[in-house]
C-alpha cells in the first residue's frame, strides 16, 4: 500500500506544462495536498517576460489558488517561493533548452511530470510533432545526458486508440490490435519537410501577389508598411493553414481523429523506444473538463472541448451537431486526472526509494466511459433543460430559446455550414465594395459577424465531430487496481474513481454554471440601470488622465472632403450653367477618383491638388473665409466639435491631422485645436499663384503615426494614454498608435476592424435643418474662376 503524501515527502518534482489547464491544477494540488514536496517548474520564457514572471502572473494568480491563499494567508508568497523553483526551458527544443543551472536543478529531481502539450486539435502538424511527439523523448534523453535516475510520468490521451470501436486496453498503443504500422522517425522527417515546402510555396510570386491583394481588400489605403505587415501575416496564416490541413489529413489517413491524438500516439512510441532505463508511467485521460471538487467545484481554465459547442448551442448558433445519440462522451473532471497523476508520481518515487528494479512501462487510463458512461443524448438533454431554465439573453434583452437537436451525420451538417459560409462571404464581399459608412457600414459588420459565427460552428464540427461519434470503450483495469490499493485517507484526499459522481448533478449544478460564468455570457436582461459597453469606453476616452486627443477631419468632424471643398472654391465665382457643367464633369470623374483614393490616399491627394495649379493665392484666401459658413459649419458634426471642446476642458492636448489644405482648415479651425497639421501647397516665386504641388508629403497613412510619435515626444506626452478619432481604414496607423482608438462614422473596412478589436464606435451626424444644395453654392456672378477659363473644369 502506498501512502501518497508520505511517499512524496522530501521529493522534488519537475513539472512541464504548469501554465496550462492541467498543469495549473497539478501545481496547486501538489502544494496543498502534499506539503512535504518541492516543485521545479519548466516554463518557456515569453518574448518580454521571464519564466519566473510567467508563473507569478499566469499560474499563482489564477483562482485555482484561492483556497491555498486563504489557508496560507500572509505566508502565501513566502511559501510559494520556498517550495517552487522556476527554470526557463522548452520541451519543443533539444535538451529542453536548459542552461547549465537548469540541468543541475533537473539533476536534483526525483520524478518528472510531463503535462506540456500542444493541446489544440487543429495544431499545425510540425508544431504538434515537435512538442507532442518529440517532447517526451527529449525529456528522457536529457535525463540520460545528466545521468539522472528520475522517473517520468507522461500525460497522454485515451484517444491514441484512434477511431476504433469496442475495447481500448491500457497497453502501449502500438501493442494494441488494428494500430497502423507507422515509423515515428519517418513522420518527424516528413512533417519538417512539409513545413519547408509550405514556406517555399508561400513565397512564390503569384502567391505573394495574392496576399498583397487580400491585404489591400481588407485594409484599403492604409499605407505601405501596414499593408506589407498584413500581407506577411496572411502569408504566415496560409502556411499555418497548410500545416493544419496536413496534420488533419495525415491523422485521418491513419485512423486518428486529429493531429493531437496522432502525435500523442507516436509520442508514446518514441518515448518507449528512447526510455532506456528511465522508469515510465503513461497516464491517459479522456476529455478533461471542469473540476468535480478540487480546488473548487467547477474550476476550469480556458475553454476546453465542450464549452464552445455548448455556448454556441445556447446562443442559438448551432441548430444541430453530429453525433451518435447512444454514443459515449467520455468526460473526466480535471481533479480526478490530477489525483491519478499524483498517485502515479508517488508510486514511482516509492519504487525508487525502496531501490526496487526498474519496472516495465505502465499505462493508466483515467476515463468514465467504461464504468459511468455519459451518453450523447443524455448530455444534449441535460444541456437543453438547463438552458431552457437559465437562458442566455440576446442584445435586445430577449431570452434565446434553445433548439431541439437532432443527431445528423457529420457530412450533412458540415456541408450545410460550408454552403452558408460561402453564401455569406460572397454577400460580404459585394457589400464591402459599396461606399457605405456609419450606421450603414454596420450592415457589412453584421454580415461579417454572422459569417464568422457559422464559420466557427463549422470549425467545431470539423474539430469535435469525431469525438461525438467515438465508439471506443477505454478500459481502466490498472486504474481500479491502484484505487483499490489506497487507504481511506488517500481515497478521500486523492479521489480518482470515476464511479463516484452523478452526471445529472455534475452537468447541472457544477459544469454548466461554471461554463456560463467563464464565458461571460448575458444571463439576465440588462435593465435600464445597466451601463452600456459604449458608455464605459467613452468614460475611458474622456478620463482626465488622457494626454492627447488627435482628430481626423473629413467624415470625422465634418461631412465633407477635399473634392467637395475644391468644388466649392472652384465654382464659387461661376454662374449656374457653368456650375452644372462642372458638377456633371465631377460626377463622371468620381469612380476613377474613388479608385485612386482607395489605392493610396497620398497619391490621390498629390494628383487631385494639381487642379489648383495657377489658382490665385489672394482669391482663395478671400473665398476661404466664406467657406467656413457655407461648407464647414453647415457640414459639421456638432457632437464632434463638442468632443474636441470636452477634451480641451479636461486639459488634454488637441491635435488635428488632415490631408486637407491649410487654406481650408487653418484659418477656420485653428481656434478649436492646440495644433493643426495639414497639407500645404507651394506658390510661384512671386507668391501670387499656387503651383498645385505640395511642399512635403501629405499627412496620410503611416505618416500620421510618425507625426503623432514626434509630436508626443516633443510635448512630453504618452501615446498609450492618448485618443485618436478617424473614419477610414486608411487611418489605421493613426488609430493603432494610441491606447484609445475611436472609429467615427466608420466606412465598411474600419467598422469591421473596430468590431473585432472592441474599439469605441461613434455615430456623429450633421445638425438637422441645414442647407442641402444639389450644386455647389456661390454668388450670382460671371467672374472668372481659378479653373483657367470661365466655367471650364481643369
Amino acid at each position: 500500500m502506498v501512502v501518497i503524501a508520505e511517499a512524496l515527502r522530501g521529493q522534488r518534482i519537475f513539472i512541464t506544462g504548469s501554465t496550462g489547464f492541467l498543469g495549473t491544477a497539478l501545481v496547486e494540488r501538489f502544494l496543498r495536498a502534499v506539503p512535504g514536496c518541492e516543485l521545479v517548474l519548466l516554463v518557456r520564457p515569453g518574448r518580454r517576460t521571464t519564466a519566473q514572471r510567467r508563473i507569478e502572473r499566469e499560474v499563482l494568480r489564477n483562482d485555482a489558488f484561492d483556497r491555498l491563499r486563504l489557508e496560507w494567508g500572509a505566508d502565501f508568497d513566502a511559501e510559494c517561493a520556498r517550495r517552487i523553483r522556476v527554470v526557463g526551458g522548452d520541451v519543443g527544443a533539444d535538451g529542453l533548452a536548459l542552461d547549465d543551472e537548469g540541468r543541475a536543478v533537473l539533476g536534483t529531481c526525483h520524478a518528472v511530470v510531463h503535462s506540456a502539450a500542444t493541446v489544440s486539435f487543429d495544431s499545425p502538424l510540425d508544431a504538434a510533432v515537435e512538442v507532442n511527439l518529440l517532447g517526451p523523448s527529449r525529456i528522457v534523453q536529457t535525463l540520460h545526458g545528466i545521468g539522472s535516475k528520475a522517473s517520468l510520468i507522461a500525460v497522454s490521451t485515451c484517444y491514441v486508440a484512434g477511431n476504433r470501436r469496442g475495447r481500448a486496453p491500457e497497453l502501449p498503443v502500438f501493442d494494441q490490435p488494428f494500430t497502423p504500422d507507422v515509423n515515428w522517425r519517418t513522420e518527424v522527417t516528413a512533417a519538417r519537410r512539409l513545413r519547408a515546402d509550405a514556406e517555399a510555396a508561400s513565397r512564390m510570386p503569384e502567391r505573394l501577389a495574392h496576399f498583397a491583394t487580400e491585404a489591400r481588400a481588407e485594409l484599403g489605403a492604409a499605407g505601405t508598411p501596414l499593408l506589407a505587415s498584413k500581407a506577411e501575416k496572411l502569408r504566415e496564416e496560409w502556411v499555418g493553414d497548410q500545416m493544419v490541413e496536413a496534420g488533419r489529413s495525415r491523422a485521418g489517413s491513419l485512423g486518428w481523429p486529429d493531429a493531437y491524438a496522432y502525435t500523442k500516439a507516436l509520442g508514446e512510441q518514441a518515448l518507449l523506444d528512447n526510455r532506456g532505463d528511465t522508469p515510465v508511467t503513461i497516464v491517459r485521460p479522456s476529455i478533461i473538463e471542469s473540476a468535480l471538487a478540487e480546488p473548487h467545484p467547477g474550476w476550469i481554465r480556458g475553454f476546453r472541448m465542450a464549452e464552445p459547442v455548448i455556448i454556441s448551442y445556447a446562443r442559438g448558433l448551432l441548430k444541430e451537431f453530429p453525433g451518435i445519440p447512444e454514443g459515449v462522451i467520455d468526460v473526466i473532471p480535471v481533479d480526478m486526472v490530477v489525483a491519478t497523476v499524483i498517485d502515479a508520481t508517488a508510486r514511482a518515487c516509492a519504487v525508487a526509494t525502496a531501490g526496487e528494479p526498474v519496472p516495465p512501462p505502465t499505462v493508466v487510463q483515467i476515463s468514465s466511459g467504461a464504468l459511468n458512461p455519459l451518453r450523447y443524448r443524455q448530455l444534449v438533454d441535460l444541456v437543453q433543460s438547463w438552458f431552457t431554465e437559465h437562458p442566455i439573453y440576446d442584445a435586445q434583452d430577449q431570452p434565446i430559446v434553445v433548439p431541439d437537436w437532432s443527431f445528423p451525420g457529420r457530412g450533412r451538417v458540415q456541408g450545410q455550414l460550408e454552403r452558408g459560409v460561402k453564401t455569406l462571404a460572397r454577400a460580404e464581399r459585394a457589400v464591402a465594395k459599396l461606399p457605405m459608412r456609419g450606421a450603414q457600414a454596420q450592415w457589412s459588420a453584421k454580415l461579417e459577424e454572422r459569417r464568422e459565427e457559422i464559420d466557427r460552428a463549422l470549425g467545431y464540427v470539423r474539430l469535435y465531430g469525431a469525438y461525438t461519434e467515438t465508439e471506443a470503450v477505454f478500459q481502466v483495469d490498472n486504474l481500479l487496481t491502484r484505487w483499490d490499493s489506497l487507504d481511506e485517507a488517500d481515497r478521500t484526499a486523492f479521489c480518482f474513481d470515476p464511479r463516484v459522481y452523478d452526471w445529472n448533478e455534475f452537468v447541472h449544478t457544477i459544469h454548466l454554471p461554471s461554463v456560463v460564468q467563464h464565458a461571460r455570457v448575458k444571463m439576465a436582461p440588462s435593465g435600464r440601470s445597466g451601463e452600456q459597453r459604449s458608455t464605459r469606453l467613452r468614460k475611458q476616452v474622456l478620463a482626465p488622465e488622457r494626454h492627447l486627443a488627435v482628430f481626423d477631419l473629413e467624415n470625422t468632424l465634418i461631412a465633407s472632403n477635399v473634392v467637395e471643398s475644391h468644388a466649392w472654391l472652384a465654382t464659387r465665382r461661376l454662374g449656374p450653367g457653368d456650375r452644372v457643367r462642372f458638377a456633371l464633369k465631377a460626377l463622371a470623374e468620381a469612380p476613377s477618383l474613388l479608385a485612386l483614393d482607395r489605392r493610396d490616399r497620398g497619391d490621390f491627394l498629390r494628383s487631385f491638388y494639381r487642379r489648383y495649379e495657377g489658382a490665385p493665392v489672394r482669391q482663395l484666401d478671400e473665398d476661404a473665409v466664406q467657406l467656413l459658413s457655407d461648407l464647414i459649419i453647415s457640414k459639421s458634426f456638432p457632437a464632434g466639435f463638442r468632443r474636441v471642446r470636452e477634451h480641451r476642458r479636461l486639459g488634454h492636448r488637441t491635435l488635428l491631422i488632415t490631408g486637407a489644405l491649410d487654406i481650408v482648415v487653418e484659418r477656420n479651425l485653428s481656434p478649436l485645436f492646440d495644433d493643426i497639421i495639414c497639407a500645404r501647397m507651394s506658390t510661384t516665386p512671386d507668391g501670387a499663384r499656387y503651383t498645385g504641388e505640395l511642399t512635403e508629403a501629405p499627412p496620410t497613412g503611416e505618416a500620421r503615426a510618425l507625426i503623432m510619435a514626434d509630436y508626443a515626444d516633443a510635448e512630453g506626452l504618452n501615446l498609450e494614454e492618448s485618443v485618436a478619432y478617424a473614419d477610414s481604414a486608411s487611418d489605421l496607423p493613426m488609430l493603432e498608435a494610441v491606447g484609445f482608438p475611436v472609429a467615427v462614422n466608420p466606412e465598411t473596412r474600419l467598422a469591421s476592424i473596430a468590431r473585432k478589436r472592441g474599439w469605441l464606435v461613434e455615430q456623429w451626424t450633421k445638425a438637422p435643418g441645414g442647407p442641402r444644395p444639389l450644386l455647389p453654392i456661390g454668388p450670382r456672378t460671371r467672374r472668372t474662376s481659378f479653373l483657367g477659363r470661365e466655367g471650364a473644369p481643369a
Side-chain angles (χ1 to χ4, degrees), residues 210-344:
H210 175 71
F211 298 142
T213 301
E214 281 193 334
R216 184 169 292 279
E218 182 172 339
L219 300 182
T224 301
L226 207 59
L227 290 171
S229 177
K230 181 63 180 180
E232 176 60 13
K233 184 178 179 181
L234 290 170
R235 187 196 67 79
E236 292 172 351
E237 290 175 353
W238 183 86
V239 172
D241 290 344
Q242 300 305 300
M243 297 308 297
V244 167
E245 184 56 38
R248 186 183 295 126
S249 299
R250 184 57 176 156
S253 72
L254 295 172
W256 279 288
D258 48 49
Y260 173 69
Y262 154 70
T263 53
K264 277 291 190 180
L266 294 178
E268 287 189 18
Q269 181 191 40
L271 172 60
L272 297 183
D273 286 350
N274 292 312
R275 74 180 184 93
D277 59 354
T278 298
V280 170
T281 302
I282 297 173
V283 176
R284 293 181 187 153
S286 54
I287 300 169
I288 307 177
E289 286 294 348
S290 58
L292 177 66
E294 305 277 353
H296 57 77
W299 178 80
I300 197 168
R301 179 169 185 175
F303 266 17
R304 315 318 307 164
M305 190 191 93
E307 286 71 50
V309 177
I310 288 172
I311 291 298
S312 294
Y313 166 73
R315 283 176 166 157
L317 304 179
L318 274 180
K319 305 300 183 184
E320 54 186 3
F321 201 79
I324 303 170
E326 64 272 25
V328 173
I329 306 298
D330 205 312
V331 171
I332 197 74
V334 63
D335 44 344
M336 292 206 165
V337 180
V338 167
T340 304
V341 171
I342 292 178
D343 172 78

Side-chain angles (χ1 to χ4, degrees), residues 562-572 582 586 608 612 776:
V562 298
V563 175
E564 193 167 0
S565 60
H566 170 267
W568 191 94
L569 291 169
T571 63
R572 182 171 183 265
F582 179 93
F608 190 80
Y612 284 92

Side-chain angles (χ1 to χ4, degrees), residues 77-88:
D77 290 338
E79 193 67 10
C80 286
R82 184 181 70 82
R83 294 184 58 192
I84 296 175
R85 176 75 178 270
V86 180
V87 296

